[in-house]
Each structure stands twice: as C-alpha cells, then as structure tokens.
Amino acid sequence: AVVSTQSGHYGRELRAKYYEAVIKAMLKSLDVPLEKLKFVTGTDFQLSREYTLDVYRLSSVVTDHDARKAGAEVVKQVAHPLLSGLLYPGLQALDEEYLGVDAQFGGVDQRKIFMFAEKYLPLLGYKKRIHFMNAMIPGLTGDKMSSSEPDSKIDLIDPPSAVKKKINKAFCEPGNVTNNGLLSFSEYVIFPYLGEKEFEIKRKPEHGGDASYANFELLKEAYRTEAIYPLDLKNAVGGYINQLLAPIVKEFQSKELKKLSSQAYPVANTKGGKAAEPDRPVDISRVDIRVGKIIHIEPHPDADSLYVEKIDVGEAEPRTVISGLRNFVAQEKLDGALVAVVCNLKPANMRGIKSQGMLLCASDKDHTTVEVLTVAEGSKPGERITSDLFTQAPDTQLNPKKKIFEKVQSDLTTNDSLEVTYKGELLRTSAGPILAPSLVKAAIR
C-alpha cells in the first residue's frame, strides 16, 4: 500500500499510521492473513535521485494530450489545469516500478491511468504491469463518493449512530435502480459478504412482512417494481453495514487508536480553543459560471417541461444539465448555442436524471417570459464568466445549506442595455459582455 497525503511531515506520518491501522483492522475483520502485508509510504522512494530523474525522463516523452486524458476521471478537469494534475498519472505509473509490484488494483476510474502506465513505462525500459479493476460504487448522495462530501460515504470507523444518520439521508428514489448507491453497495459488498446466505429485509406484517433475496438481481427487480421501498432498503443495508464495521469500530475503541485517529484527523475546535476561520464573503466570485456549448438536446422522457442537454464546459466529457425551458424556448434555438452555465452547484436528480449544472436565464417578474442568456461569439467552452471587480477563484462546490448562489442571484440583473450585471458590474468573457435577448431590468435565474 502506498500512502500519500498533502499535510505537513508530522501529519503525513500520523495519517500513514492511521491508514495502516484501519486497513489492517478491515482485513482482520474478514479473516485475511496479514503476515505478508507490507506498507510503504510514498516518501520512502519518491525523494530518491533515481525517481526524480525518471520523472524528468517521463516528462520528455509524455504529451499534454495523453496526460490530460489519463487523469480525466481522477483529476479535476478545468480549462487551465495546474501542472500537478498533469504530472499525477506519470507519478502513479512510476510508483509501479519503484514499488517493484507485479500488479496494481483500483477502481474503473483508474483505467486511463493504467493504460497510460502500460504505454509509457516500456518507453523508459520498464515492464508492463498487470492491472485489476473493480466497479465504482456511487456515493450515498447518488454521485461519486468524495472525501470532501462526508455524507456521500461511510467511514470504516463510523459508529452505528453515524451510519444510520448517513443512510437516512441517502438518495434512494423509489424504483430507481440505475443511480442508487445503496443498491450498488448491496451488489458489490453485501452479497459477496453474505455468501450463500440470503439478503433479508425485516418489516412489520402491515408493511408487507419480512422478505429475503437469494441474489442481487432478485433484490434489484423487487426494488424496481417497488415491492420494497426506500426505507426497507435503507434499514437492511444499514444493518449489514453495521455488521461489517462492528469489529473495526471495536478495535478502534482502544486508547491508542482513539488517540491516533484524533491526531491524524483532528476535529476543528470552535468552543474555547482556536477559532474557526471566518467564512469567505458571499459574492459572485464564489460561483463558477462558465461558457458552455450545447452539443445535444432532447426532451426529458419523464417531464413535459424539461430538456436534457449535453453541454461542453471545457472538461474531458460534456456535462448533463436539466433545464426547465421546454415551455419557453424552442429546442432548435438551443441546439449548438453558447450559454452561461453554473458549474459548482451540488448535482441534483431531476425526475431520475442527475443534473450537473444550471443554465442562466433572464426572466420577467411574472415568469411568463424566460430567455437564455447570450454569450459573445468567440467565447470558448470552459472560459470563466467574471466581472472586473470580483475575480477570486470559485468554490469547488457551493454548500447548498449556506444558500450562496441564492444570495448572489438576488443581485444579478440586466441593465437598460440588456447587459447582465452583478451589483452594477458587467459580467463578461474575453470576447464581450453577457446579454439578454430582449429583457431589461430582468432577474437572472
């Protein structure tokens, strides 16, 4: 196992020890022998002369295109990426050689990095490695699991109370079997854990009584046809998760491991200790508004008022965006159009399809006329839409509980020249201002 963190030296050592302890506890809970298990920290070899020279050698043969493509699913894709994101795939490839491994194991989101390693390691005179992959399980929120979004995942040392809280908040739309983290966890973790035992759902007779399923396909079909309901699935999955975690949680009740956990991941103290850092002021710089180009649009299959759009916002793959414009703007007018897209809202499920952004539009007071904002010709997909006064980097993802976008939205409007402004400041790209087709003094939604 290679452990790499971005904290200071002391914090890095503590987290390496924490990962080692929690991984060993997890494997022991499954009766995996540990005699041949060895942990290696990245700094054990990444600071060597030989490794550094190989980084230079690799950078002399890797193209910008291949580096971007390799990291497309694991490195945040932006119009102007940091150099670290381009180096990342090469460093992971070199780790295979310097660890002396025969194979590397990861999720399917690593497949492009694995292909990158198979292509470029031989160019340095090193052998190809074997690569194993498993399926990616959606997070509890319905999107990819993220360490920056605690409610999207279950931690290995979460107590039953924390598991219950997260499971109860999980996205679990009735009948939805295609974007359901709880069902995926059942398929890839719980059923293998159960072996020949059946998956059991306990419920009162008046709620349908107990049910059991010998394989995942039976459970999936029961959920699809709503023979079992979200609460049934949540209660069952939560129970099995607590069974899996129980021996790990128990081991981490020791004084030594409690101390290690608190040192590796200290909880911010806002009472009497060091004060929490103040929130950044709320203004439009926190909102990631980008130029997007609609490359495909079609009516939503389950909603008469919605469109489903594929929009190029300068990333490796187009984003899926759901907009409520079907009653206001003809489909042919939107196809191929340059638009303004908010890209850092929390993804939201809209009638069974996850929307990864929002089109900005001008609207009259009665919301009877809605117009898609016009982006200046010559603007490039992915270019950020900003004002001259508010230029700070945007949040990675806006916290919906803090209503940041809603507060910013109240100061967005069009002026008498149809230009979109925020607190009187024009919003623009390098090619020109953002405009509404005909609405003056209009709200931006």
Side-chain angles (χ1 to χ4, degrees):
V2 180
V3 177
S4 175
T5 70
Q6 297 177 353
S7 57
H9 177 70
Y10 180 62
R12 186 164 57 236
E13 288 186 346
L14 287 170
R15 290 193 177 184
K17 291 178 181 178
Y18 169 82
Y19 293 138
E20 180 173 347
V22 77
I23 291 171
K24 284 182 174 179
M26 175 187 67
L27 294 174
K28 283 194 293 184
S29 73
L30 299 172
D31 298 323
V32 176
L34 305 181
E35 291 78 13
K36 297 183 179 180
L37 179 63
K38 180 182 179 182
F39 286 81
V40 180
T41 58
T43 50
D44 288 345
F45 59 88
Q46 290 166 348
L47 302 180
S48 69
R49 176 179 181 273
E50 293 76 17
Y51 188 91
T52 301
L53 289 175
D54 271 344
V55 171
Y56 289 134
R57 290 175 63 204
L58 192 61
S59 65
S60 70
V61 295
V62 174
T63 65
D64 168 80
H65 170 271
D66 282 3
R68 284 175 179 263
K69 181 180 178 182
E73 295 185 53
V74 294
V75 177
K76 183 175 176 62
Q77 300 296 296
V78 295
H80 303 290
L82 295 175
L83 181 59
S84 58
L86 299 177
L87 288 173
Y88 182 88
L91 301 181
Q92 185 171 325
L94 284 176
D95 288 350
E96 293 183 346
E97 175 64 24
Y98 281 82
L99 283 167
V101 300
D102 298 309
Q104 185 178 172
F105 173 72
V108 293
D109 62 336
Q110 300 284 320
R111 63 188 183 275
K112 292 180 181 178
I113 291 183
F114 290 168
M115 294 301 296
F116 176 96
E118 291 185 16
K119 175 180 179 179
Y120 282 104
L121 282 186
L123 296 183
L124 301 185
Y126 300 137
K127 67 179 181 180
K128 291 182 182 180
R129 265 61 180 194
I130 300 167
H131 295 111
F132 300 105
M133 291 173 281
N134 63 356
M136 296 293 291
I137 299 175
L140 297 178
T141 55
D143 204 357
K144 186 177 180 180
M145 287 188 197
S146 170
S147 59
S148 62
E149 191 175 357
D151 288 340
S152 72
K153 61 187 177 66
I154 301 291
D155 291 331
L156 287 171
I157 59 173
D158 273 348
S161 58
V163 171
K164 182 178 180 180
K165 182 178 179 181
K166 291 180 179 180
I167 292 292
N168 286 343
K169 293 169 65 176
F171 171 74
C172 196
E173 188 178 43
N176 184 344
V177 298
T178 59
N179 192 27
N180 190 318
L182 297 180
L183 275 179
S184 293
F185 192 86
S186 300
E187 179 179 9
Y188 294 109
V189 180
I190 296 176
F191 273 96
Y193 164 70
L194 290 174
E196 295 183 359
K197 297 179 181 178
E198 294 194 345
F199 185 104
E200 296 181 346
I201 289 178
K202 303 290 186 181
R203 54 189 179 184
K204 296 178 180 179
E206 59 267 31
H207 295 151
D210 295 347
S212 62
Y213 302 92
N215 58 60
F216 174 71
E217 290 303 320
L218 293 175
L219 175 69
K220 179 180 177 181
E221 181 61 16
Y223 193 80
R224 187 189 69 80
T225 59
E226 300 187 31
I228 56 176
Y229 297 98
L231 186 59
D232 301 331
L233 185 63
K234 287 182 177 184
N235 288 338
V237 171
Y240 284 121
I241 288 176
N242 284 327
Q243 286 182 31
L244 285 163
L245 298 186
I248 306 171
V249 172
K250 182 179 180 181
E251 184 161 342
F252 267 75
Q253 293 305 303
S254 72
K255 184 177 180 180
E256 179 184 355
L257 290 180
K258 276 187 175 181
K259 181 179 179 181
L260 175 61
S261 180
S262 64
Q263 288 178 326
Y265 290 96
V267 178
N269 180 12
T270 58
K271 295 183 179 180
K274 184 179 178 181
E277 292 185 4
D279 284 342
R280 177 176 159 186
V282 175
D283 61 53
I284 199 165
S285 69
R286 299 187 62 173
V287 183
D288 185 7
I289 307 175
R290 298 187 219 163
V291 176
K293 182 175 182 178
I294 299 177
I295 59 177
H296 179 75
I297 181 172
E298 62 184 21
H300 193 297
D302 298 319
D304 294 338
S305 62
L306 304 179
Y307 285 128
V308 181
E309 298 117 357
K310 292 289 185 181
I311 304 181
D312 178 5
V313 291
E315 298 173 336
E317 300 292 337
R319 292 197 182 198
T320 299
V321 177
I322 312 298
S323 66
L325 295 172
R326 202 160 155 192
N327 295 330
F328 300 100
V329 184
Q331 180 175 331
E332 57 270 18
K333 287 190 176 182
L334 291 173
D335 196 9
L338 289 177
V339 292
V341 185
V342 180
C343 292
N344 61 342
L345 296 173
K346 183 177 179 179
N349 282 282
M350 301 182 70
R351 300 296 294 271
I353 300 177
K354 185 172 288 296
S355 180
Q356 300 170 306
M358 184 179 78
L359 293 186
L360 287 181
C361 301
S363 173
D364 62 8
K365 291 182 180 179
D366 299 327
H367 199 58
T368 54
T369 301
V370 176
E371 300 176 340
V372 177
L373 299 183
T374 301
V375 177
E377 288 295 329
S379 302
K380 302 296 184 183
E383 180 180 355
R384 192 174 172 207
I385 296 171
T386 61
S387 76
D388 293 335
L389 187 61
F390 301 95
T391 58
Q392 283 185 278
D395 292 14
T396 301
Q397 184 178 94
L398 297 175
N399 186 339
K401 294 181 179 179
K402 295 187 177 181
K403 304 291 184 183
I404 294 169
F405 178 71
E406 290 80 359
K407 294 173 183 175
V408 169
Q409 194 176 24
S410 64
D411 289 308
L412 283 169
T413 186
T414 58
N415 61 20
D416 290 332
S417 300
L418 302 176
E419 298 162 323
V420 177
T421 67
Y422 172 74
K423 294 186 175 181
E425 293 289 320
L426 294 183
L427 296 191
R428 63 172 67 248
T429 69
S430 59
I434 308 302
L435 303 171
S438 67
L439 293 175
V440 299
K441 305 294 184 183
I444 304 300
R445 302 182 179 182

